[in-house]
C-alpha cells in the first residue's frame, strides 16, 4: 500500500533536514563513504549544500498537509526532479570511477524518494473522515475577510453527507457537539465574564427541529450570528470589543461521481492588546476544536 502524501513528505523532510545537518557539521562524512578524498574545497562545497537541503526540508514539511492543487504538485515534482538529477549524477560518477560503490545507497534513496513524491502527490484525498490543513477556497466569500487578519486557519474534509448545503453541514455537526468541547466553551465563558467580555453560550444551543432554510441573516446560530448564506458557503461570525471572528463553511461540489469537499475557515481580527492576549491560549485550543468539528463533517455518526 502506497504511503500517504503526508507520510512521504514527512519522511523526505526528515531526510533533507538530516542531510543539511550532516553537511554543515561533518562535511567530510558522506564523501568518505563515497570514496572521495578529503579536501578543503570539498568541505566548503559540502557546508554550502546544507542551505539548499534545509530549504527543501522546510518546504516539504509545509506542503505535507495541503490539499491536492497545482501548487502542491509543482513543489513535489520539483523536489522529485532534484532527487532524480542527484541520482543521475551519482550514478554517472560511479560508472566513470570518480566515486566508489558507497554511492549506490545514495542513488537508491534518491530514486525512491523521487518515485514516492511523484506517486504520492497524485494519490486521492483521504476518504476515511480525516481532515487536512488547507487554505481558504479560491473565490470564496471568506477571502475578502483575510487581509490584515491576526489569525486564520482552514481545515478540509470529504463530506459524509454531500447532499447537505453549507449551513446544514454546520448545523448537523453543531447539534452533536461533544461534551468536552462544550466544557471548554463553559470555561471560556466563565473566564470571559471576569474580563467583561461577551458570553458566547454553547455551540449546540441550536433548535434541533429548525431547518437551515428557516434561518435569516442576523439570526443567532449557536455561538455565531449568520452573516451570509448560500448553498455552497455560509459565513458566521461574532463581534466583541477585543476581536471579530468570522467562520466560513464552504462546500465544493464535485463533478458527478466525485467527492464533495467541505472547508471550514476561521479568520480573526483583533482590536487591542486584550484581543492579542486572548488569542494566546485560544489559538492552540481552536486548532483542536476546529479539527474535531471538521472531522465530524466527514463521519455519518455523531461528532
Amino acid at each position: 500500500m502506497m504511503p500517504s502524501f503526508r507520510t512521504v513528505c514527512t519522511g523526505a523532510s526528515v531526510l533533507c533536514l538530516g542531510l543539511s545537518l550532516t553537511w554543515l557539521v561533518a562535511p567530510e562524512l558522506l564523501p568518505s563513504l563515497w570514496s572521495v578524498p578529503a579536501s578543503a574545497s570539498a568541505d566548503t562545497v559540502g557546508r554550502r549544500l546544507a542551505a539548499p537541503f534545509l530549504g527543501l526540508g522546510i518546504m516539504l514539511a509545509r506542503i505535507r498537509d495541503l490539499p491536492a492543487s497545482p501548487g502542491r504538485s509543482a513543489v513535489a515534482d520539483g523536489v522529485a526532479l532534484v532527487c532524480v538529477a542527484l541520482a543521475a549524477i551519482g550514478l554517472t560518477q560511479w560508472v566513470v570511477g570518480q566515486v566508489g560503490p558507497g554511492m549506490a545507497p545514495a542513488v537508491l534513496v534518491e530514486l525512491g524518494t523521487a518515485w514516492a513524491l511523484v506517486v504520492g502527490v497524485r494519490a486521492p484525498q483521504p476518504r476515511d473522515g480525516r481532515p487536512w490543513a488547507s487554505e481558504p477556497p479560491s473565490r470564496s466569500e471568506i477571502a475578502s475577510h483575510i487581509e490584515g487578519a491576526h489569525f486564520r486557519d482552514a481545515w478540509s474534509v470529504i463530506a459524509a453527507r454531500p447532499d447537505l448545503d453549507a449551513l446544514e453541514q454546520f448545523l448537523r455537526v453543531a447539534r452533536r457537539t461533544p461534551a468536552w468541547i462544550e466544557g471548554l466553551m463553559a470555561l471560556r465563558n466563565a473566564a470571559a465574564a471576569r474580563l467583561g467580555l461577551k458570553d458566547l453560550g454553547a455551540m449546540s444551543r441550536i433548535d434541533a427541529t429548525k431547518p437551515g432554510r428557516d434561518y435569516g441573516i442576523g439570526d443567532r446560530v449557536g455561538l455565531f450570528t449568520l452573516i451570509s448564506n448560500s448553498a455552497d458557503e455560509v459565513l458566521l461570525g461574532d463581534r466583541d470589543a477585543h476581536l471579530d471572528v468570522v467562520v466560513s463553511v464552504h462546500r465544493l461540489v464535485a463533478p458527478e461521481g466525485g467527492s464533495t469537499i467541505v472547508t471550514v475557515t476561521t479568520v480573526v481580527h483583533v482590536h487591542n492588546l486584550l484581543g492579542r492576549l486572548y488569542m494566546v491560549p485560544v489559538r492552540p485550543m481552536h486548532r483542536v476544536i476546529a479539527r474535531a468539528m471538521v472531522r465530524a463533517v466527514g463521519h455519518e455518526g455523531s461528532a
Side-chain angles (χ1 to χ4, degrees), residues 107-187:
V107 170
L108 291 176
V109 169
E110 288 156 359
L111 290 176
T113 302
W115 175 82
L117 284 169
V118 170
V119 174
V121 77
R122 287 162 178 79
Q125 298 288 2
R127 296 175 180 269
D128 58 359
R130 287 180 297 154
W132 64 89
S134 58
E135 290 292 323
S138 59
R139 300 180 184 176
S140 61
E141 286 193 50
I142 192 63
S144 64
H145 294 263
I146 292 174
E147 185 176 356
H150 175 76
F151 170 83
R152 72 173 172 113
D153 75 349
W155 292 89
S156 298
V157 73
I158 302 296
R161 292 284 308 276
D163 55 302
L164 299 180
D165 64 22
L167 180 55
E168 287 291 355
Q169 296 283 355
F170 174 81
L171 293 173
R172 184 178 80 87
V173 172
R175 290 175 181 135
R176 301 183 178 124
T177 302
W180 66 269
I181 292 181
E182 295 291 36
L184 288 175
M185 286 306 305
L187 288 174

Side-chain angles (χ1 to χ4, degrees), residues 30-53:
L30 292 176
S32 68
L33 296 177
W34 303 333
S35 303
V36 175
S39 68
S41 58
D43 284 0
T44 300
V45 173
R47 285 197 167 91
R48 288 181 63 83
L49 284 174
F53 276 111

